[in-house]
Amino acid sequence: MADRTELTIEVVGTSLANKTTVAGALTGAVGWLAQINWVGLVGVLVAVLGLAANIFFQIRRDRRETAESAARIAAIKGQCNVDQQP
């Protein structure tokens, strides 16, 4: 159950990070086009924060998938009943 909850949090976090990055980039572009410096700066900061969150969740995903792959490979090797010779 804990694994499923963690996965749900990760999926929601990744989705939110992607949307935050896009919203920040659009806000920055509108601020730049309207020549309102503080709106452009806020947009860029939001985009950078969204990108950082996205990178964080992608690193967690990569670590989880690497561990799952190693466990799957170990299970397959255990089923083969073949001795490996050096």
Coordinates of all heavy atoms in Angstrom, one line a residue:
M1 N 0.8 -1.2 0.0 CA 0.0 0.0 0.0 C 0.9 1.3 0.0 O 0.6 2.2 -0.7 CB -0.9 0.0 1.2 CG -1.8 1.1 1.3 SD -3.3 0.9 0.3 CE -4.4 2.0 1.0
A2 N 2.0 1.2 0.8 CA 2.8 2.4 0.8 C 3.5 2.7 -0.5 O 3.7 3.8 -0.9 CB 3.9 2.2 1.9
D3 N 3.8 1.6 -1.3 CA 4.4 1.8 -2.6 C 3.4 2.5 -3.5 O 3.8 3.3 -4.3 CB 4.9 0.4 -3.2 CG 6.0 -0.2 -2.4 OD1 6.8 0.6 -1.8 OD2 6.2 -1.4 -2.4
R4 N 2.2 2.1 -3.4 CA 1.2 2.7 -4.3 C 0.9 4.1 -4.0 O 0.8 5.0 -4.9 CB -0.1 1.9 -4.2 CG -1.2 2.3 -5.2 CD -2.3 1.3 -5.2 NE -3.1 1.6 -6.4 CZ -4.3 1.1 -6.6 NH1 -4.8 0.2 -5.7 NH2 -4.9 1.3 -7.7
T5 N 1.0 4.5 -2.7 CA 0.8 5.8 -2.3 C 2.0 6.7 -2.7 O 1.8 7.8 -3.2 CB 0.7 5.9 -0.7 OG1 -0.4 5.1 -0.3 CG2 0.5 7.4 -0.3
E6 N 3.2 6.2 -2.6 CA 4.4 6.9 -3.1 C 4.3 7.1 -4.6 O 4.7 8.1 -5.1 CB 5.7 6.1 -2.7 CG 6.0 6.1 -1.2 CD 7.2 5.3 -0.9 OE1 8.0 5.0 -1.8 OE2 7.4 5.0 0.3
L7 N 3.9 6.1 -5.3 CA 3.8 6.2 -6.7 C 2.8 7.2 -7.1 O 3.0 8.0 -8.0 CB 3.4 4.8 -7.4 CG 3.4 4.8 -8.9 CD1 4.7 5.2 -9.5 CD2 2.9 3.4 -9.3
T8 N 1.6 7.3 -6.4 CA 0.6 8.3 -6.7 C 1.1 9.7 -6.4 O 0.9 10.6 -7.2 CB -0.6 8.0 -5.8 OG1 -1.1 6.7 -6.1 CG2 -1.7 9.0 -6.1
I9 N 1.8 9.9 -5.3 CA 2.4 11.2 -5.0 C 3.4 11.6 -6.1 O 3.5 12.7 -6.5 CB 3.1 11.1 -3.6 CG1 2.1 11.0 -2.5 CG2 4.0 12.4 -3.4 CD1 2.6 10.7 -1.2
E10 N 4.2 10.6 -6.6 CA 5.2 10.9 -7.6 C 4.6 11.3 -8.9 O 5.0 12.3 -9.6 CB 6.1 9.7 -7.8 CG 7.3 10.0 -8.6 CD 8.4 9.0 -8.5 OE1 8.5 8.4 -7.4 OE2 9.1 8.7 -9.4
V11 N 3.5 10.6 -9.3 CA 2.8 10.9 -10.5 C 2.2 12.3 -10.5 O 2.3 13.1 -11.4 CB 1.8 9.8 -10.9 CG1 0.8 10.3 -12.0 CG2 2.5 8.5 -11.2
V12 N 1.5 12.6 -9.3 CA 0.9 13.9 -9.2 C 1.9 15.0 -9.1 O 1.8 16.0 -9.7 CB 0.0 13.9 -7.9 CG1 -0.5 15.3 -7.6 CG2 -1.2 13.0 -8.1
G13 N 3.0 14.7 -8.4 CA 4.1 15.7 -8.3 C 4.7 16.0 -9.7 O 5.0 17.2 -10.0
T14 N 5.0 15.0 -10.5 CA 5.5 15.2 -11.8 C 4.6 16.0 -12.7 O 5.0 16.9 -13.4 CB 5.8 13.8 -12.5 OG1 6.7 13.1 -11.6 CG2 6.5 14.0 -13.8
S15 N 3.3 15.7 -12.6 CA 2.3 16.4 -13.4 C 2.2 17.8 -13.0 O 2.2 18.8 -13.8 CB 0.9 15.7 -13.3 OG 0.0 16.5 -14.0
L16 N 2.2 18.1 -11.7 CA 2.2 19.4 -11.2 C 3.4 20.2 -11.6 O 3.4 21.4 -11.9 CB 2.0 19.4 -9.7 CG 1.8 20.8 -9.0 CD1 0.5 21.4 -9.5 CD2 1.7 20.6 -7.5
A17 N 4.6 19.6 -11.5 CA 5.8 20.2 -11.8 C 5.8 20.6 -13.3 O 6.3 21.7 -13.7 CB 7.0 19.3 -11.5
N18 N 5.4 19.7 -14.2 CA 5.3 20.1 -15.6 C 4.4 21.3 -15.9 O 4.7 22.2 -16.6 CB 4.8 18.9 -16.4 CG 5.8 17.8 -16.5 OD1 7.0 18.0 -16.4 ND2 5.4 16.6 -16.7
K19 N 3.2 21.3 -15.2 CA 2.3 22.4 -15.4 C 2.8 23.7 -14.9 O 2.6 24.7 -15.4 CB 0.9 22.0 -14.8 CG 0.2 20.9 -15.6 CD -1.0 20.4 -14.9 CE -1.6 19.2 -15.7 NZ -2.7 18.6 -15.0
T20 N 3.5 23.6 -13.7 CA 4.1 24.8 -13.1 C 5.2 25.4 -14.0 O 5.3 26.6 -14.2 CB 4.7 24.4 -11.8 OG1 3.7 23.9 -10.9 CG2 5.3 25.6 -11.1
T21 N 6.0 24.5 -14.6 CA 7.0 25.0 -15.5 C 6.4 25.7 -16.7 O 6.9 26.8 -17.1 CB 7.9 23.8 -16.0 OG1 8.5 23.1 -14.9 CG2 9.0 24.3 -16.9
V22 N 5.4 25.1 -17.3 CA 4.7 25.7 -18.5 C 4.1 27.0 -18.1 O 4.2 28.1 -18.8 CB 3.7 24.8 -19.1 CG1 2.8 25.5 -20.1 CG2 4.4 23.6 -19.7
A23 N 3.4 27.1 -17.0 CA 2.7 28.3 -16.5 C 3.7 29.4 -16.2 O 3.5 30.6 -16.6 CB 1.9 28.0 -15.3
G24 N 4.8 29.0 -15.6 CA 5.9 30.0 -15.3 C 6.5 30.6 -16.6 O 6.8 31.8 -16.7
A25 N 6.7 29.7 -17.5 CA 7.3 30.1 -18.8 C 6.3 31.1 -19.6 O 6.8 32.1 -20.1 CB 7.7 28.9 -19.7
L26 N 5.1 30.7 -19.6 CA 4.1 31.6 -20.2 C 4.0 32.9 -19.5 O 3.9 34.0 -20.2 CB 2.7 30.9 -20.3 CG 2.6 29.7 -21.2 CD1 1.3 29.0 -21.1 CD2 2.8 30.2 -22.7
T27 N 4.0 32.9 -18.2 CA 3.9 34.2 -17.4 C 5.1 35.0 -17.7 O 5.0 36.2 -17.9 CB 3.8 33.9 -15.9 OG1 2.7 33.0 -15.7 CG2 3.7 35.1 -15.1
G28 N 6.3 34.4 -17.8 CA 7.5 35.1 -18.1 C 7.5 35.7 -19.5 O 7.9 36.9 -19.7
A29 N 6.9 35.0 -20.4 CA 6.8 35.5 -21.8 C 5.8 36.7 -21.9 O 6.1 37.7 -22.5 CB 6.4 34.4 -22.7
V30 N 4.7 36.6 -21.2 CA 3.7 37.7 -21.2 C 4.3 38.9 -20.5 O 4.2 40.0 -21.0 CB 2.4 37.2 -20.4 CG1 1.5 38.4 -20.2 CG2 1.7 36.2 -21.3
G31 N 5.0 38.7 -19.4 CA 5.7 39.8 -18.7 C 6.7 40.5 -19.6 O 6.9 41.7 -19.6
W32 N 7.5 39.7 -20.3 CA 8.5 40.2 -21.2 C 7.8 41.0 -22.3 O 8.3 42.1 -22.7 CB 9.4 39.1 -21.7 CG 10.4 39.5 -22.7 CD1 11.5 40.2 -22.4 CD2 10.4 39.3 -24.1 NE1 12.2 40.5 -23.6 CE2 11.6 39.9 -24.6 CE3 9.5 38.7 -25.0 CZ2 11.9 39.9 -26.0 CZ3 9.8 38.7 -26.3 CH2 11.0 39.3 -26.8
L33 N 6.8 40.4 -22.9 CA 6.1 41.1 -24.0 C 5.4 42.4 -23.5 O 5.4 43.4 -24.3 CB 5.1 40.2 -24.7 CG 5.6 39.0 -25.5 CD1 4.5 38.1 -25.9 CD2 6.4 39.6 -26.7
A34 N 4.9 42.4 -22.3 CA 4.2 43.6 -21.8 C 5.2 44.5 -21.2 O 4.8 45.6 -20.8 CB 3.2 43.1 -20.8
Q35 N 6.4 44.1 -21.1 CA 7.5 44.9 -20.5 C 7.2 45.3 -19.1 O 7.5 46.4 -18.7 CB 7.8 46.2 -21.4 CG 8.3 45.8 -22.8 CD 8.7 47.0 -23.6 OE1 8.5 48.1 -23.2 NE2 9.2 46.8 -24.8
I36 N 6.7 44.3 -18.4 CA 6.5 44.5 -16.9 C 7.5 43.6 -16.3 O 7.4 42.4 -16.3 CB 5.1 44.1 -16.5 CG1 4.0 44.9 -17.3 CG2 4.9 44.2 -15.0 CD1 2.6 44.4 -17.1
N37 N 8.6 44.2 -15.8 CA 9.7 43.5 -15.3 C 9.4 42.5 -14.2 O 9.9 41.3 -14.2 CB 10.8 44.4 -14.9 CG 11.4 45.2 -16.0 OD1 11.3 44.7 -17.2 ND2 12.0 46.3 -15.7
W38 N 8.6 42.9 -13.2 CA 8.4 42.0 -12.1 C 7.6 40.8 -12.5 O 7.8 39.7 -12.0 CB 7.8 42.7 -10.9 CG 6.4 43.2 -11.1 CD1 6.0 44.4 -11.6 CD2 5.2 42.5 -10.9 NE1 4.7 44.5 -11.7 CE2 4.1 43.4 -11.2 CE3 4.9 41.3 -10.3 CZ2 2.8 43.0 -11.1 CZ3 3.6 40.9 -10.2 CH2 2.6 41.7 -10.6
V39 N 6.7 40.9 -13.5 CA 5.9 39.8 -13.9 C 6.8 38.8 -14.7 O 6.7 37.6 -14.5 CB 4.7 40.2 -14.8 CG1 4.0 39.0 -15.4 CG2 3.7 41.1 -14.0
G40 N 7.7 39.3 -15.5 CA 8.6 38.5 -16.2 C 9.5 37.7 -15.2 O 9.8 36.5 -15.4
L41 N 10.0 38.4 -14.2 CA 10.9 37.8 -13.2 C 10.2 36.7 -12.4 O 10.7 35.6 -12.2 CB 11.4 38.9 -12.3 CG 12.4 38.4 -11.2 CD1 13.6 37.7 -11.9 CD2 12.8 39.5 -10.3
V42 N 8.9 37.0 -12.0 CA 8.2 36.0 -11.3 C 7.9 34.8 -12.2 O 8.0 33.6 -11.7 CB 6.8 36.6 -10.8 CG1 5.9 35.5 -10.3 CG2 7.1 37.6 -9.7
G43 N 7.6 35.0 -13.4 CA 7.4 33.9 -14.4 C 8.6 33.0 -14.5 O 8.5 31.8 -14.5
V44 N 9.8 33.7 -14.6 CA 11.0 32.9 -14.8 C 11.3 32.1 -13.5 O 11.7 30.9 -13.6 CB 12.2 33.8 -15.1 CG1 13.5 33.1 -15.0 CG2 12.0 34.4 -16.5
L45 N 11.1 32.7 -12.3 CA 11.3 32.0 -11.1 C 10.4 30.8 -10.9 O 10.8 29.8 -10.5 CB 11.2 33.0 -9.9 CG 12.3 34.1 -9.8 CD1 11.9 35.0 -8.6 CD2 13.6 33.4 -9.6
V46 N 9.1 31.0 -11.3 CA 8.2 29.9 -11.2 C 8.6 28.8 -12.2 O 8.5 27.6 -11.8 CB 6.7 30.4 -11.5 CG1 5.8 29.2 -11.7 CG2 6.3 31.3 -10.4
A47 N 9.0 29.1 -13.4 CA 9.5 28.1 -14.3 C 10.7 27.4 -13.8 O 10.8 26.1 -13.9 CB 9.8 28.8 -15.7
V48 N 11.6 28.1 -13.2 CA 12.8 27.4 -12.6 C 12.4 26.5 -11.5 O 13.0 25.4 -11.4 CB 13.9 28.5 -12.2 CG1 15.0 27.8 -11.4 CG2 14.4 29.2 -13.4
L49 N 11.5 26.9 -10.6 CA 11.1 26.1 -9.5 C 10.4 24.8 -10.1 O 10.6 23.7 -9.6 CB 10.2 26.8 -8.6 CG 10.8 27.9 -7.7 CD1 9.8 28.7 -6.9 CD2 11.8 27.2 -6.8
G50 N 9.5 25.0 -11.1 CA 8.9 23.8 -11.7 C 9.9 22.9 -12.3 O 9.7 21.7 -12.2
L51 N 10.9 23.4 -13.0 CA 11.9 22.6 -13.6 C 12.7 21.8 -12.5 O 13.0 20.6 -12.7 CB 12.9 23.4 -14.4 CG 14.0 22.7 -15.1 CD1 13.4 21.7 -16.1 CD2 14.9 23.7 -15.8
A52 N 13.0 22.5 -11.4 CA 13.7 21.8 -10.3 C 12.9 20.7 -9.7 O 13.4 19.6 -9.5 CB 14.1 22.8 -9.2
A53 N 11.6 20.9 -9.5 CA 10.7 19.9 -9.0 C 10.6 18.7 -10.0 O 10.6 17.5 -9.6 CB 9.3 20.4 -8.8
N54 N 10.6 19.0 -11.3 CA 10.5 18.0 -12.3 C 11.8 17.1 -12.3 O 11.7 15.9 -12.4 CB 10.3 18.6 -13.7 CG 9.8 17.7 -14.7 OD1 9.6 16.5 -14.5 ND2 9.7 18.1 -16.0
I55 N 12.9 17.8 -12.2 CA 14.2 17.0 -12.2 C 14.2 16.1 -10.9 O 14.6 15.0 -11.0 CB 15.4 18.0 -12.2 CG1 15.5 18.7 -13.6 CG2 16.6 17.3 -11.8 CD1 16.5 19.8 -13.6
F56 N 13.7 16.6 -9.8 CA 13.7 15.9 -8.6 C 12.9 14.6 -8.7 O 13.3 13.5 -8.4 CB 13.1 16.7 -7.4 CG 12.8 16.0 -6.2 CD1 13.9 15.6 -5.3 CD2 11.5 15.6 -5.8 CE1 13.6 14.9 -4.2 CE2 11.3 14.9 -4.7 CZ 12.3 14.5 -3.8
F57 N 11.7 14.7 -9.3 CA 10.8 13.6 -9.5 C 11.3 12.6 -10.5 O 11.1 11.4 -10.4 CB 9.4 14.0 -9.8 CG 8.6 14.5 -8.5 CD1 8.3 15.8 -8.4 CD2 8.3 13.7 -7.5 CE1 7.6 16.3 -7.3 CE2 7.6 14.1 -6.4 CZ 7.3 15.4 -6.3
Q58 N 12.0 13.1 -11.6 CA 12.5 12.3 -12.6 C 13.7 11.4 -12.0 O 13.9 10.3 -12.4 CB 13.0 13.1 -13.8 CG 11.9 13.7 -14.6 CD 10.9 12.7 -15.1 OE1 11.2 11.5 -15.4 NE2 9.6 13.1 -15.3
I59 N 14.5 12.0 -11.1 CA 15.6 11.3 -10.5 C 15.0 10.2 -9.6 O 15.5 9.1 -9.6 CB 16.5 12.3 -9.7 CG1 17.3 13.1 -10.7 CG2 17.4 11.5 -8.8 CD1 18.1 14.2 -10.0
R60 N 14.0 10.5 -8.9 CA 13.3 9.5 -8.0 C 12.8 8.3 -8.9 O 12.9 7.2 -8.6 CB 12.2 10.1 -7.2 CG 12.7 10.9 -6.0 CD 11.6 11.4 -5.2 NE 10.7 10.3 -4.8 CZ 9.7 10.4 -3.9 NH1 9.4 11.6 -3.4 NH2 9.0 9.4 -3.6
R61 N 12.2 8.7 -10.0 CA 11.6 7.7 -10.9 C 12.7 6.8 -11.5 O 12.5 5.6 -11.5 CB 10.9 8.4 -12.1 CG 10.3 7.5 -13.1 CD 9.6 8.2 -14.2 NE 9.4 7.4 -15.3 CZ 9.2 7.9 -16.6 NH1 9.2 9.2 -16.8 NH2 9.0 7.0 -17.6
D62 N 13.8 7.4 -11.9 CA 14.9 6.6 -12.4 C 15.5 5.6 -11.3 O 15.7 4.5 -11.7 CB 16.0 7.6 -12.9 CG 17.2 6.8 -13.5 OD1 16.9 6.0 -14.4 OD2 18.3 7.0 -13.1
R63 N 15.6 6.1 -10.1 CA 16.1 5.2 -9.0 C 15.2 4.1 -8.8 O 15.6 2.9 -8.6 CB 16.3 6.0 -7.8 CG 17.5 6.9 -7.8 CD 17.7 7.7 -6.6 NE 18.9 8.6 -6.7 CZ 19.1 9.6 -5.9 NH1 18.3 9.8 -4.8 NH2 20.1 10.4 -6.0
R64 N 13.9 4.4 -8.8 CA 12.9 3.3 -8.5 C 12.9 2.3 -9.7 O 12.9 1.1 -9.4 CB 11.5 3.9 -8.4 CG 10.4 2.9 -8.1 CD 9.0 3.5 -8.1 NE 8.6 3.7 -9.5 CZ 8.3 4.9 -10.1 NH1 8.5 6.0 -9.4 NH2 8.0 5.0 -11.3
E65 N 12.9 2.8 -10.9 CA 12.9 1.8 -12.0 C 14.2 1.0 -12.1 O 14.2 -0.1 -12.5 CB 12.7 2.6 -13.3 CG 11.3 3.1 -13.5 CD 11.1 3.9 -14.8 OE1 12.0 4.2 -15.5 OE2 9.9 4.3 -15.0
T66 N 15.3 1.6 -11.7 CA 16.6 0.8 -11.6 C 16.5 -0.3 -10.6 O 16.9 -1.4 -10.9 CB 17.8 1.8 -11.3 OG1 17.8 2.8 -12.3 CG2 19.1 1.0 -11.3
A67 N 15.9 0.0 -9.4 CA 15.8 -1.0 -8.4 C 14.8 -2.1 -8.8 O 15.1 -3.3 -8.6 CB 15.3 -0.3 -7.1
E68 N 13.7 -1.7 -9.5 CA 12.8 -2.7 -10.0 C 13.4 -3.6 -11.0 O 13.2 -4.8 -11.0 CB 11.5 -2.0 -10.6 CG 10.6 -1.4 -9.6 CD 9.5 -0.6 -10.2 OE1 9.5 -0.5 -11.4 OE2 8.7 -0.1 -9.4
S69 N 14.2 -3.0 -11.9 CA 14.9 -3.8 -12.9 C 15.9 -4.8 -12.3 O 15.9 -5.9 -12.7 CB 15.6 -2.9 -13.9 OG 16.3 -3.6 -14.9
A70 N 16.6 -4.3 -11.3 CA 17.6 -5.2 -10.7 C 16.9 -6.4 -10.0 O 17.3 -7.5 -10.0 CB 18.4 -4.4 -9.7
A71 N 15.8 -6.1 -9.3 CA 15.0 -7.1 -8.7 C 14.4 -8.1 -9.7 O 14.4 -9.3 -9.4 CB 13.9 -6.5 -7.8
R72 N 13.9 -7.6 -10.8 CA 13.4 -8.5 -11.8 C 14.5 -9.4 -12.4 O 14.3 -10.6 -12.7 CB 12.8 -7.6 -12.9 CG 11.8 -8.3 -13.8 CD 11.0 -7.4 -14.8 NE 10.4 -6.2 -14.1 CZ 10.7 -5.0 -14.3 NH1 11.6 -4.6 -15.2 NH2 10.0 -4.0 -13.7
I73 N 15.7 -8.8 -12.7 CA 16.8 -9.6 -13.2 C 17.2 -10.7 -12.2 O 17.4 -11.8 -12.6 CB 17.9 -8.7 -13.6 CG1 17.6 -7.8 -14.8 CG2 19.2 -9.5 -13.8 CD1 18.6 -6.8 -15.1
A74 N 17.2 -10.3 -10.9 CA 17.6 -11.3 -9.9 C 16.6 -12.4 -9.8 O 16.9 -13.6 -9.7 CB 17.7 -10.6 -8.5
A75 N 15.3 -12.1 -9.9 CA 14.3 -13.1 -9.9 C 14.4 -14.0 -11.1 O 14.2 -15.3 -11.0 CB 12.9 -12.5 -9.9
I76 N 14.7 -13.5 -12.3 CA 14.8 -14.3 -13.5 C 16.0 -15.2 -13.4 O 16.0 -16.4 -13.7 CB 14.9 -13.4 -14.7 CG1 13.5 -12.7 -15.0 CG2 15.3 -14.2 -15.9 CD1 13.6 -11.7 -16.1
K77 N 17.1 -14.7 -12.8 CA 18.3 -15.5 -12.7 C 18.1 -16.7 -11.7 O 18.6 -17.7 -11.8 CB 19.5 -14.7 -12.2 CG 20.1 -13.8 -13.3 CD 21.3 -13.1 -12.8 CE 22.0 -12.3 -13.9 NZ 23.1 -11.5 -13.4
G78 N 17.3 -16.4 -10.7 CA 16.9 -17.4 -9.7 C 16.1 -18.5 -10.3 O 16.1 -19.7 -9.8
Q79 N 15.3 -18.3 -11.3 CA 14.4 -19.3 -11.9 C 15.2 -20.1 -13.0 O 14.7 -21.2 -13.3 CB 13.3 -18.6 -12.6 CG 12.3 -17.9 -11.7 CD 11.3 -17.1 -12.4 OE1 11.3 -17.0 -13.6 NE2 10.3 -16.5 -11.7
C80 N 16.3 -19.7 -13.4 CA 17.0 -20.4 -14.5 C 17.6 -21.7 -14.1 O 17.7 -22.6 -14.9 CB 18.0 -19.5 -15.2 SG 17.4 -18.1 -16.1
N81 N 18.1 -21.8 -12.9 CA 18.7 -23.0 -12.4 C 19.9 -23.4 -13.3 O 20.2 -24.6 -13.5 CB 17.8 -24.2 -12.3 CG 16.7 -24.0 -11.3 OD1 16.9 -23.3 -10.3 ND2 15.5 -24.6 -11.6
V82 N 20.6 -22.4 -13.8 CA 21.8 -22.7 -14.6 C 23.0 -22.0 -13.9 O 23.0 -20.9 -13.5 CB 21.7 -22.0 -16.0 CG1 22.9 -22.1 -16.8 CG2 20.5 -22.6 -16.7
D83 N 24.0 -22.9 -13.7 CA 25.2 -22.4 -13.0 C 26.1 -21.6 -14.0 O 26.3 -22.1 -15.1 CB 26.1 -23.5 -12.4 CG 25.3 -24.2 -11.3 OD1 24.6 -23.5 -10.6 OD2 25.5 -25.4 -11.1
Q84 N 26.5 -20.4 -13.6 CA 27.3 -19.7 -14.5 C 28.8 -20.0 -14.3 O 29.2 -20.1 -13.1 CB 27.1 -18.2 -14.3 CG 25.7 -17.7 -14.7 CD 25.6 -16.2 -14.5 OE1 26.5 -15.6 -13.9 NE2 24.5 -15.7 -14.9
Q85 N 29.5 -20.3 -15.3 CA 30.9 -20.6 -15.2 C 31.8 -19.4 -15.4 O 31.5 -18.6 -16.3 CB 31.3 -21.7 -16.2 CG 30.6 -23.0 -15.9 CD 31.0 -24.0 -17.0 OE1 31.8 -23.8 -17.9 NE2 30.4 -25.2 -16.8
P86 N 32.8 -19.2 -14.6 CA 33.6 -18.0 -14.8 C 34.4 -17.9 -16.0 O 34.7 -18.8 -16.8 CB 34.6 -18.0 -13.6 CG 34.5 -19.4 -13.0 CD 33.3 -20.0 -13.5

